[in-house]
């Protein structure tokens, strides 16, 4: 009797298998209805969210102190109520602006043509055409930045500033003492700064007055009153006059603007140097225009506005390599900003989101025309034209690209569907199986979004669909192949238990064998995703949760609906021509007469004779079909098998014969050489793996060749720096001691429940009181000292604090205002202090402007003051002071650039933590742009990768021990195989120049689960093989599961290949990861792992955990002294006749 027949005869009924056979008509509709309900609920709640590389975003590590500090001040700022009031002053919205760049290229290799001249008459015509796409649009006047009028409030204030400056200078008598001169100079500079702070434009007097003030405070002029007068006259008065000239003068191109004729200000464009504003004609020549542009390099934004040609400094239009006098540049750019308030709104804060939505809609409406012109220029190869239009518009563009990429899922679905049809020969199984796979994704979203409240859905979650298609098809092949292998058992089960029970025993046999293998494969993959969940980077953790639920649903499908569908197909639909397409020779015993006739007609045989031969005598048992006898495969689907001697593996298809006759003997014969080769192979990859570094660049969303991504990169770098370059701020925050997350999880960040940002509420410190005189002085001192923090940013000549610039200091400006009002600082009386503070920060009322500090502090949410006349009148909830950092918030900085500044800022905080007046809380430092959290994010990628890989390895080992049941097979060979797969992928990343970012960190973690997916099938088959020798067990395992493993690898690689066609780099990189990992995994499973088993694989009961457990239980008297089933199996296999071995 063969081993197969003994295994068939020893089969017992499994309760769930009995349920599938007897109640499949209940199981299928219940499963389908449940999954449809879960999928609908989960799918309709998916809302893709795009993160950002900097700032407080979803990628900010939730366990980092820097993130919690940002949550504190963000939630504190949310409590500030900004009151709208009618205002003619426009706020320029630079984030909602079209930025066009133009570059001369060598079109053969698309490299910059540095020898070319961008400013030629033809190029200027093209630039003008692009600019007029926006400025000539009928709706542009609704959203443009309007010309400032001469009689504006800012101009009136600058005139008052000049008067006050002149009066105070006259007050410094030549015979005045040093102290008198210093006092008058101090009042004058304070008055100048107080008025200057109310002007939104750059105010040249501000820095001059601040310099004088600091020099006086430091005692520089302690013995020279004339020096005080000279310094005040030369610096401050000149600055006041320049401010008046700049603010009160009409902007270039705005000469005809007045209250009855508001017009749009010209855009920030180099065309101003070459064209008249009111005509499209050249003024002068191209050469003369370039000379004017060159002359205005390094001219501040407002100081010399009357004499300037264009609104933006000339630096803005020129590349970084340009030097004054070159008069040659190969690229330039222009910016067309929008302005608030829009018509019908009081100011920029009046229904701010509504105004911004209208601006974004306008910018989006221009995209088709702008993109058409870009393509036209590219095809003509005249000029490289690039454009961007703010984060909101870019996100909208990225979403459209993402939608197109997700459409490639359809291609992957078609490929998997066709291959399942090819493998099984059934259209019914192909369609239903693919449906069962795909629906697991929205069902997993239900548990993730609805149950676990993980509402943040990153675009990277979409590539789980490709993973699911490959992994899900693997389960289909396992169940189907086991079902086909069990056909021979039908005659034994019919003889022993009756024909009415034969199908139940068959399902029990199949379910036991396949469920274990499928559970092992799915659980190792799911556990590798679970290993990602503890990551402090929230999108990584959210991805792990969604993936885990999805894979679990896939496993449920493998052990429930898939066996039921195969049962329905085999018993009800296999005889249907539509479901069979062309009945295979091995299916003729169950195909209908019509099907047989059509099949045999094609082959030229007599259908009646074939029918009689295949059906046999009435009541006879079905013809014997040995294991694997009717399985269609990648190499043998639909082909009749050759007759070979009956016995175990008696009838094999071409692929199985290849494993038996060619590959298994090769691996066994050269096992030592293969292991040595793989060891060397692994050592080389380990070396490259050690070279993997954390990312020092912003996450790349689109490929380098994409024009929009080129524009994003081009805007971030490659241009001359000027005074108007955006810079982040270092903030000192008082009054906020913590953040109460109110039971919200990190996964609810950016959800509507958390107001699209950090969850919870700021916890204010009631001990913060700025009214004591000592505290007023302390707050002022911290501002001054913070501006002098010394640290480099990792780049030569670059300092952490930019030009010792104080961006915001309430107490400093409050003092200036008091001085201008003839009051002393600090304010000694507490009640008077609060009275003056409420006056300084007063809200605007109808046509009355607010207090002089309202726009600079309350409107910018840098302070929250209690309500006048209420119980909290004498309370300041929080206050933020700021100094300017030399970090551009639009750029991404690596750890080496950020670390020195972050350490210096924290050292400054620690130094002054003990210097505050008694009873007062200390402040904490943070940044407005999130540059510190960006550093923590990069560090989190490293820590998450290391911990994730180690956790995944631990999970994989534990899973293999449970499912394989042999400590030797589950430990060294399996773990070595996982390492053999993980190291090549990391090495490949290094060779490609990739660094450790979000996608790489996720891939490094889940590679462990994928690497053991195929190994576990071989491991289980090896342990269960009845042969007594290593060589026989290896051969048995290859014959038994080799074809299923290959089919699973083909579908996974086929589905993943479609990711290489995508545009989003997350998808593209993951496609490379999937292809390389599956390729290495299948290579490792068929070479390294099987060779290791041939060298180290256990035989008999060596390493068998079940046998060891039984022996231990008997020794301790926990179980009766009876032979353990595992031991019986080992003994039986030792006495059975082995398969012919190499």
């Amino acid at each position: 009797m063969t081993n197969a027949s003994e295994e068939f005869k020893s089969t017992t009924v499994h309760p769930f298998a009995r349920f599938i056979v007897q109640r499949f008509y209940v199981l299928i509709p219940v499963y389908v209805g449940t999954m449809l309900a879960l999928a609908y609920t989960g799918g309709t709640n998916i809302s893709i969210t795009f993160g950002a590389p900097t700032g407080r975003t979803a990628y900010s590590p939730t366990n980092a102190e820097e993130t919690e500090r940002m949550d504190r001040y963000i939630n504190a700022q949310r409590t500030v109520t900004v009151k709208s009031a009618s205002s003619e002053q426009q706020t320029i919205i630079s984030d909602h602006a079209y930025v066009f760049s133009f570059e001369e290229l060598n079109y053969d290799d698309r490299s910059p043509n540095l020898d070319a001249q961008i400013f030629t008459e033809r190029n200027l015509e093209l630039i003008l055409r692009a600019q007029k796409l926006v400025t000539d649009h009928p709706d542009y006047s609704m959203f443009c930045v309007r010309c400032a009028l001469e009689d504006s409030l800012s101009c009136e204030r600058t005139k008052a500033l000049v008067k006050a400056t002149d009066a105070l200078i006259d007050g410094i008598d030549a015979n005045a003492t040093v102290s008198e001169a210093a006092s008058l100079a101090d009042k004058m500079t304070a008055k100048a700064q107080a008025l200057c702070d109310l002007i939104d434009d750059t105010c040249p007097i501000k820095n001059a007055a601040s310099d004088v003030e600091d020099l006086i405070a430091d005692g520089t002029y302690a013995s020279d009153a004339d020096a005080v007068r000279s310094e005040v006259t030369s610096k401050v008065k000149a600055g006041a006059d320049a401010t008046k000239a700049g603010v009160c003068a009409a902007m270039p191109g705005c000469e005809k603007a007045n209250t009855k004729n508001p017009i749009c200000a010209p855009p920030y464009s180099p065309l101003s140097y070459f064209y008249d504003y009111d005509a499209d004609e050249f003024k002068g020549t191209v050469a003369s225009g370039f000379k004017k542009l060159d002359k205005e390099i390094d001219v501040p934004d407002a100081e010399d506005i009357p004499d300037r040609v264009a609104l933006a400094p000339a630096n803005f239009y020129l590349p970084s390599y340009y030097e004054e006098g070159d008069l040659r540049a190969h690229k330039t750019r222009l910016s067309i900003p929008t302005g608030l308030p829009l018509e019908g709104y009081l100011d920029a804060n009046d229904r701010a989101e509504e105004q911004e939505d209208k601006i974004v809609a306008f910018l989006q409406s221009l995209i088709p025309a702008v993109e058409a012109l870009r393509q036209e220029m590219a095809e003509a190869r005249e000029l490289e034209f690039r454009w961007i239009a703010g984060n909101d518009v870019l996100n909208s563009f990225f979403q459209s690209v993402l939608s197109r990429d997700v459409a490639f899922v359809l291609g992957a679905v078609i490929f998997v569907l066709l291959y399942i049809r090819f493998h099984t020969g059934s259209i019914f199984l192909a369609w239903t199986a693919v449906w069962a796979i795909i629906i697991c994704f929205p069902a997993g979203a239900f548990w993730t979004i609805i149950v676990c409240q993980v509402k943040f859905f990153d675009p990277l979650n979409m590539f789980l669909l490709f993973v699911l298609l490959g992994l899900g098809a693997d389960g289909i092949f396992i169940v189907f192949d086991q079902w086909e292998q069990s056909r021979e058992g039908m005659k034994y089960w019919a003889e022993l238990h009756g024909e009415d029970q034969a199908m139940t025993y068959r399902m029990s046999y199949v379910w036991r064998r396949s469920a274990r293998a499928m559970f092992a494969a799915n659980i190792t993959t799911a556990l590798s995703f679970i290993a990602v969940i503890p990551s402090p980077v929230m999108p990584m953790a959210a991805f792990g949760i969604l993936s885990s639920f999805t894979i679990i649903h896939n496993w449920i499908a493998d052990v429930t609906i898939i066996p039921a569908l195969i049962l329905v197909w085999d018993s009800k639909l296999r005889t249907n021509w539509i479901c069979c397409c062309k009945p295979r020779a091995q299916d003729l015993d169950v195909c209908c007469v019509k099907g047989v006739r059509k099949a045999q007609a094609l082959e030229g045989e007599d259908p009646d004779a074939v029918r009689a031969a295949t059906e046999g005598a009435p009541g006879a048992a079905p013809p014997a079909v040995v294991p694997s006898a009717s399985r269609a495969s990648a190499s043998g689907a639909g082909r009749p098998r050759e007759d070979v001697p009956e016995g175990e593996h008696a009838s094999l298809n071409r692929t199985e014969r290849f494993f038996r006759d060619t590959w298994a003997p090769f691996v066994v014969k050269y096992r030592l050489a293969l292991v040595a080769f793989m060891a060397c192979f692994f050592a080389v990859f380990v070396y490259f793996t050690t070279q993997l570094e954390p990312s020092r660049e912003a996450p790349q969303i689109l490929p380098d060749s994409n024009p929009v991504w080129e524009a994003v990169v081009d805007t971030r770098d490659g241009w001359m720096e000027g005074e108007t370059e955006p810079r982040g701020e270092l903030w000192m925050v008082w009054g906020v001691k913590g953040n109460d997350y109110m039971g919200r999880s990190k996964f609810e960040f950016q959800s509507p429940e958390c107001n699209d940002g950090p969850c919870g509420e700021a916890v204010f410190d009631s001990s913060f009181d700025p009214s004591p005189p000592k505290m007023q002085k302390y707050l002022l001192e911290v501002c001054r000292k913070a501006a002098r923090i010394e640290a480099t940013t990792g780049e030569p000549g670059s300092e952490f604090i930019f030009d010792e610039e104080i961006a915001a200091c309430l107490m400093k400006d409050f003092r200036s205002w008091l001085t201008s009002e003839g009051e002393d600082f600090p304010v000694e009386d507490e009640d008077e202090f609060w009275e003056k503070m409420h006056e300084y920060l007063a809200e605007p009322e109808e046509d009355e402007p607010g207090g002089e500090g309202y726009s600079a502090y309350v409107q910018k949410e840098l302070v929250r003051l209690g309500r006048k006349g209420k119980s909290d009148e004498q309370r300041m909830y929080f206050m933020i002071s700021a100094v300017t950092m030399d970090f551009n918030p639009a750029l991404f900085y690596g750890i080496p650039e950020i670390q020195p500044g972050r350490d210096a800022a924290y050292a400054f905080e620690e130094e002054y933590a003990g210097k505050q007046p008694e009873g007062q809380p200390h402040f904490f430092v943070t940044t407005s742009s999130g540059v510190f959290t960006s550093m923590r994010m990069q560090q989190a990628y490293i820590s998450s990768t290391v911990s994730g890989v180690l956790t995944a390895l631990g999970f994989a080992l534990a899973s293999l021990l449970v499912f394989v049941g042999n400590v030797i097979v589950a430990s060294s060979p399996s773990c070595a195989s996982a390492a053999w797969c993980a190291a090549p992928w990391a090495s490949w990343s290094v060779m490609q120049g990739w660094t450790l970012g979000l996608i790489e960190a996720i891939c490094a973690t889940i590679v462990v689960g994928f690497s053991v997916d195929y190994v576990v099938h071989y491991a289980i088959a090896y342990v269960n093989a009845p042969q007594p020798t290593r060589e026989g067990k290896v051969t048995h395992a290859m014959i038994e599961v080799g074809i299923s493993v290959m089919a699973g690898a083909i579908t996974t690689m086929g589905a993943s290949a479609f990711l290489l066609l995508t545009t989003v780099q997350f998808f593209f990189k993951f496609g490379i990861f999937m292809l390389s990992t599956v390729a290495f995994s299948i290579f490792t499973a068929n070479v390294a792992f099987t060779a290791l088993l041939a060298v180290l694989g256990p035989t008999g009961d060596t390493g068998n955990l079940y046998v060891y457990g039984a022996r231990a239980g008997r020794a301790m008297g926990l179980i009766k002294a009876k032979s353990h089933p595992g031991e019986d199996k080992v003994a039986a296999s030792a006495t059975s006749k082995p398969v012919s071995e190499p």
Side-chain angles (χ1 to χ4, degrees):
M1 189 69 68
T2 65
N3 291 320
S5 61
E6 286 292 339
E7 191 170 6
F8 290 145
K9 288 186 176 182
S10 63
T11 300
T12 59
V13 173
H14 191 283
F16 190 75
R18 182 192 298 275
F19 173 78
I20 293 175
V21 174
Q22 296 180 354
R23 296 289 186 270
F24 67 87
Y25 55 85
V26 175
L27 173 63
I28 293 177
V30 169
Y31 180 89
V32 170
T34 302
M35 291 298 290
L36 286 174
L38 294 178
Y40 176 80
T41 307
T44 54
N45 280 277
I46 292 176
S47 179
I48 297 177
T49 306
F50 281 87
T54 57
R56 172 57 174 111
T57 71
Y59 300 97
S60 302
T62 53
N63 64 345
E65 180 184 10
E66 288 78 3
T67 303
E68 193 273 340
R69 289 183 174 201
M70 291 195 75
D71 289 350
R72 282 196 231 172
Y73 83 70
I74 291 173
N75 283 328
Q77 288 182 314
R78 286 175 173 174
T79 65
V80 178
T81 301
V82 179
K83 188 173 182 180
S84 298
S86 180
S87 172
E88 295 179 0
Q89 178 66 40
Q90 275 210 309
T91 301
I92 298 176
I93 311 299
S94 57
D95 185 52
H96 292 154
Y98 266 109
V99 177
F100 294 162
S101 64
F102 307 87
E103 184 174 13
E104 287 280 4
L105 297 182
N106 295 308
Y107 281 97
D108 293 336
D109 57 3
R110 293 191 59 79
S111 61
N113 186 0
L114 300 179
D115 295 327
Q117 171 63 278
I118 190 66
F119 296 120
T120 65
E121 189 168 341
R122 173 56 181 165
N123 286 348
L124 290 171
E125 290 176 1
L126 293 173
I127 296 172
L128 178 63
R129 183 180 171 192
Q131 179 176 302
K132 290 170 77 65
L133 279 179
V134 181
T135 58
D136 284 2
H137 192 278
D139 295 334
Y140 175 65
S141 60
M142 298 169 55
F143 303 98
C144 68
V145 177
R146 291 185 292 276
C147 288
L149 304 179
E150 185 176 345
D151 58 347
S152 66
L153 181 60
S154 294
C155 181
E156 292 301 319
R157 285 172 172 166
T158 56
K159 290 177 179 177
L161 181 150
V162 174
K163 276 187 179 181
T165 303
D166 291 339
L168 288 169
I169 289 175
D170 293 340
I172 303 178
D173 190 273
N175 298 321
T177 64
V178 172
S179 60
E180 290 173 341
S183 176
L184 287 171
D186 190 53
K187 290 181 180 180
M188 186 281 305
T189 55
K191 178 71 174 180
Q193 290 191 76
L195 289 171
C196 195
D197 287 338
L198 301 177
I199 301 171
D200 289 336
D201 300 275
T202 301
C203 191
I205 192 177
K206 188 170 185 178
N207 291 335
S210 180
D211 290 343
V212 173
E213 184 181 28
D214 289 342
L215 290 172
I216 293 172
D218 291 343
T220 304
Y221 299 111
S223 60
D224 192 349
D226 289 337
V228 174
R229 183 185 181 93
S230 174
E231 190 73 21
V232 169
T233 303
S234 62
K235 284 190 174 181
V236 182
K237 190 176 188 310
D241 291 338
T243 301
K244 176 187 173 184
V247 176
C248 294
M251 293 188 294
C254 291
E255 292 81 3
K256 296 182 180 181
N258 55 60
T259 54
K260 295 182 179 181
N261 181 35
I263 62 176
C264 294
Y268 300 152
S269 172
L271 297 178
S272 303
Y273 296 94
F274 304 96
Y275 286 93
D276 288 326
Y277 286 109
D278 297 330
D280 295 338
E281 298 177 356
F282 277 113
K283 51 182 180 183
T285 63
V286 174
S288 63
F290 202 164
K291 288 180 180 179
K292 292 178 183 178
L293 191 157
D294 179 78
K295 184 180 179 181
E296 292 190 2
I297 291 177
D298 292 328
V299 173
D301 192 24
E303 184 175 346
D304 293 323
I305 253 189
D307 301 322
R308 284 178 47 196
V309 174
L311 294 180
N315 312 56
F316 177 81
Y317 309 119
L318 297 170
S320 56
Y321 64 80
Y322 186 86
E323 295 183 2
E324 289 185 63
D326 283 351
L327 298 180
R328 179 175 293 276
H330 83 289
K331 67 176 184 177
T332 189
R333 61 177 174 173
L334 62 87
S335 175
I336 309 176
T338 55
L340 296 178
L342 303 180
E343 187 176 353
Y345 296 86
L346 294 176
D347 60 18
N349 297 296
D350 182 15
R351 293 164 287 166
E353 291 186 6
E354 186 177 308
Q355 292 190 71
E356 291 193 12
D357 287 344
K358 290 183 177 181
I359 290 177
V360 171
F362 167 69
L363 296 176
Q364 289 177 329
S365 69
L366 295 169
I367 290 179
V370 172
E371 183 61 16
L373 180 60
R374 185 199 65 78
Q375 293 179 6
E376 179 185 329
M377 289 187 185
E379 291 172 0
R381 308 184 82 176
E382 287 188 289
L383 200 60
E384 187 68 12
F385 171 33
R386 307 184 183 104
W387 63 270
I388 59 172
N391 289 333
D392 289 333
V393 177
L394 282 178
N395 284 343
S396 175
F397 177 82
F398 293 152
Q399 288 178 7
S400 65
V401 173
L402 178 65
S403 299
R404 292 196 298 269
D405 283 354
V406 172
F408 284 107
V409 172
L410 179 61
V413 167
I414 293 173
F415 173 82
V416 172
L417 187 148
L418 292 176
Y419 193 85
I420 294 176
R421 158 64 187 91
F422 179 65
H423 190 92
T424 64
S426 170
I427 293 178
F428 169 78
L429 287 181
W431 279 105
T432 54
V434 168
W435 174 87
I437 294 170
I438 292 295
I439 204 170
C440 292
F441 181 79
F446 168 82
W447 300 104
T448 304
I449 299 172
I450 305 301
V451 177
C452 296
Q453 292 294 297
V454 181
K455 299 183 178 181
F456 183 88
F457 197 92
D458 196 272
L460 65 87
N461 291 342
M462 299 304 295
F463 61 61
L464 182 59
L465 285 167
F466 297 88
V467 177
L468 186 61
L469 282 167
L471 185 64
D474 190 19
I476 304 297
F477 300 137
I478 293 293
V479 180
F480 180 82
D481 292 342
Q482 293 292 338
W483 182 265
E484 295 294 276
Q485 290 174 21
S486 67
R487 185 183 299 276
E488 182 189 8
M490 289 295 287
K491 65 181 180 181
Y492 300 111
W493 295 319
E495 292 173 359
L496 295 173
H497 309 290
E499 291 190 8
D500 59 332
Q501 293 294 317
M503 191 62 75
T504 301
Y505 278 86
R506 184 181 187 184
M507 182 62 73
S508 299
Y509 174 86
V510 171
W511 200 88
R512 280 195 175 92
R513 290 167 65 90
S514 61
R516 182 181 178 189
M518 290 186 301
F519 187 61
N522 281 279
I523 199 64
T524 51
T525 304
L527 287 174
S528 68
F529 285 118
I530 290 174
V532 179
I533 295 176
S535 171
V537 182
M538 187 266 281
M540 288 182 65
F543 175 77
I545 294 174
L546 174 64
S547 303
S548 302
F549 279 122
T550 302
I551 300 303
I552 290 171
H553 266 292
N554 181 70
W555 168 72
I556 294 173
D558 286 343
V559 298
T560 57
I561 192 68
I562 297 302
L565 291 172
I566 291 176
L567 174 67
V568 170
W569 167 75
D570 188 79
S571 60
K572 306 292 183 182
L573 302 174
R574 195 167 192 168
T575 60
N576 189 299
W577 180 263
I578 296 178
C579 296
C580 256
C581 288
K582 176 183 175 182
R584 301 168 297 181
Q586 60 266 31
D587 293 335
L588 294 180
D589 60 316
V590 293
C591 279
C592 63
V593 176
K594 182 179 178 181
V596 172
R597 284 177 178 168
K598 289 191 176 182
Q600 298 308 319
L602 293 173
E603 298 179 6
E605 299 183 17
D606 180 14
D608 293 330
V610 175
R611 182 73 175 176
T614 56
E615 287 185 344
V625 183
V626 294
S628 304
S630 62
R631 192 176 354 163
S633 72
S635 58
R639 298 185 180 92
R641 298 165 183 265
E642 298 178 2
D643 293 329
V644 293
E646 184 178 356
E648 184 151 6
H649 307 304
S651 181
L652 306 173
N653 67 18
R654 184 180 302 173
T655 303
E656 292 164 329
R657 291 200 308 274
F658 168 77
F659 277 109
R660 183 194 66 182
D661 301 334
T662 304
W663 191 250
F666 170 79
V667 170
V668 170
K669 182 177 181 180
Y670 298 104
R671 54 189 180 275
L672 292 176
L674 290 173
V675 171
F677 168 75
M678 292 298 292
C680 296
F681 186 70
F682 175 70
V684 172
F685 283 131
V686 167
Y687 167 76
F688 282 104
T689 301
T690 59
Q691 310 303 309
L692 192 61
E693 298 179 347
S695 177
R696 297 181 62 178
E697 296 180 354
Q700 185 168 346
I701 300 175
L702 301 175
D704 292 331
S705 58
N706 184 276
V708 173
W709 187 254
E710 284 182 338
V712 172
V713 174
D714 183 68
T715 302
R716 290 175 177 171
D717 200 6
W719 301 95
M720 292 186 72
E721 291 190 3
E723 297 293 326
T724 58
E725 288 294 316
R727 290 181 173 85
E729 295 173 353
L730 177 70
W731 284 7
M732 286 74 67
V733 184
W734 283 270
V736 188
K737 63 181 179 181
N739 190 72
D740 180 6
Y741 289 96
M742 304 177 69
R744 298 283 184 181
S745 74
K746 63 182 180 181
F747 301 109
E748 295 182 79
F749 177 80
Q750 282 191 325
S751 67
E753 292 79 3
C754 294
N755 297 317
D756 300 323
C759 295
E761 296 178 351
V763 179
F764 297 108
D765 193 336
S766 58
S767 64
F768 172 59
D769 181 6
S771 63
K774 289 184 179 180
M775 189 61 178
Q776 296 175 47
K777 291 181 177 180
Y778 172 76
L779 295 172
L780 179 59
E781 181 185 6
V782 169
C783 293
R784 288 175 172 171
K785 297 299 183 182
R788 298 174 185 176
I789 296 176
E790 295 183 358
T792 61
T793 61
E795 298 180 2
S798 181
E799 296 296 327
F800 175 53
I801 302 301
F802 175 74
D803 202 24
E804 296 187 1
E805 182 176 284
I806 299 176
C809 182
L810 175 61
M811 209 52 62
K812 182 174 183 291
D813 294 334
F814 178 60
R815 187 193 72 162
S816 299
W817 176 75
L818 286 174
T819 305
S820 68
E821 296 291 319
E823 303 287 346
D824 294 327
F825 179 89
V827 182
E828 297 291 338
D829 183 74
E830 180 179 357
D831 292 336
E832 184 182 355
F833 171 85
W834 289 113
E835 184 68 28
K836 292 296 183 182
M837 185 60 72
H838 275 284
E839 183 181 350
Y840 180 64
L841 300 177
E843 294 181 344
E845 297 292 342
E846 296 182 357
D847 294 334
E848 292 295 325
E852 295 197 17
Y854 182 81
S855 60
Y857 291 96
V858 179
Q859 207 167 55
K860 294 180 180 179
E861 299 177 343
L862 298 180
V863 67
R864 179 189 171 189
L865 192 62
R867 296 162 296 176
K868 190 171 179 62
K870 303 294 183 179
S871 58
D872 61 348
E873 179 179 7
Q874 294 191 353
R875 181 177 181 184
M876 185 176 287
Y877 289 88
F878 75 92
M879 184 186 75
I880 298 175
S881 297
V883 293
T884 305
M885 300 184 299
D886 199 12
F887 287 110
N888 188 330
L891 301 183
F892 189 84
Y893 297 89
I895 295 175
E897 287 83 13
I898 302 172
Q899 186 82 51
R902 184 262 184 197
D903 292 345
Y906 276 50
F908 172 77
E909 175 189 325
E910 184 177 355
E911 177 186 353
Y912 275 82
K915 294 183 178 181
Q916 73 269 22
E918 185 177 354
Q920 294 284 349
H922 61 80
F923 62 91
F924 67 87
V925 296
T926 183
T927 64
S928 62
S929 61
V931 67
F932 291 168
T933 59
S934 175
M935 181 191 75
R936 288 301 190 194
M937 177 184 68
Q938 297 170 63
Q939 294 172 335
Y941 288 156
I942 301 173
S943 62
S944 296
T945 301
V946 174
S947 61
V949 168
L950 294 177
T951 303
L953 282 172
F955 282 157
L957 177 59
S959 301
L960 290 169
L961 286 172
V962 171
F963 298 116
V964 175
N966 190 291
V967 66
I968 298 176
V969 176
S971 56
S972 54
S974 299
C975 290
S977 300
W980 269 328
C981 292
W985 175 82
S987 304
W988 175 262
S989 300
V990 174
M991 295 175 189
Q992 292 296 308
W994 296 350
T995 50
L996 190 60
L998 177 64
I999 187 67
E1000 293 82 7
I1002 291 177
C1003 291
T1005 303
I1006 64 178
V1007 69
V1008 176
F1010 282 104
S1011 63
V1012 299
D1013 192 15
Y1014 304 123
V1015 167
V1016 71
H1017 293 308
Y1018 277 120
I1020 293 175
Y1022 178 91
V1023 170
N1024 291 335
Q1027 287 74 17
T1029 64
R1030 294 189 183 106
E1031 294 82 356
K1033 285 176 174 291
V1034 168
T1035 302
H1036 173 93
M1038 287 189 170
I1039 297 172
E1040 189 72 18
V1041 299
I1043 188 172
S1044 300
V1045 166
M1046 290 301 297
I1050 290 171
T1051 52
T1052 303
M1053 294 182 72
S1056 302
F1058 286 90
L1059 285 166
L1060 301 184
L1061 304 176
T1062 58
T1063 304
V1064 176
Q1065 288 297 282
F1066 283 155
F1067 290 171
F1068 180 79
K1069 284 187 176 182
F1070 196 75
I1072 293 179
F1073 160 74
M1074 288 293 294
L1075 287 171
S1076 60
T1077 299
V1078 173
F1080 282 122
S1081 296
I1082 198 68
F1083 181 72
T1084 298
N1086 285 307
V1087 179
F1089 182 66
T1090 49
L1092 272 175
L1093 288 178
V1095 174
L1096 303 173
T1099 57
D1101 62 358
T1102 304
N1104 192 317
L1105 294 176
Y1106 301 114
V1107 174
Y1108 293 165
R1111 291 175 180 174
R1114 289 196 298 272
M1116 293 184 292
L1118 299 177
I1119 59 175
K1120 295 180 180 180
K1122 182 180 179 181
S1123 180
H1124 188 272
E1127 292 180 297
D1128 291 341
K1129 181 180 178 181
V1130 172
S1133 65
T1135 59
S1136 62
K1137 184 180 179 179
V1139 132
S1140 296
E1141 300 168 8

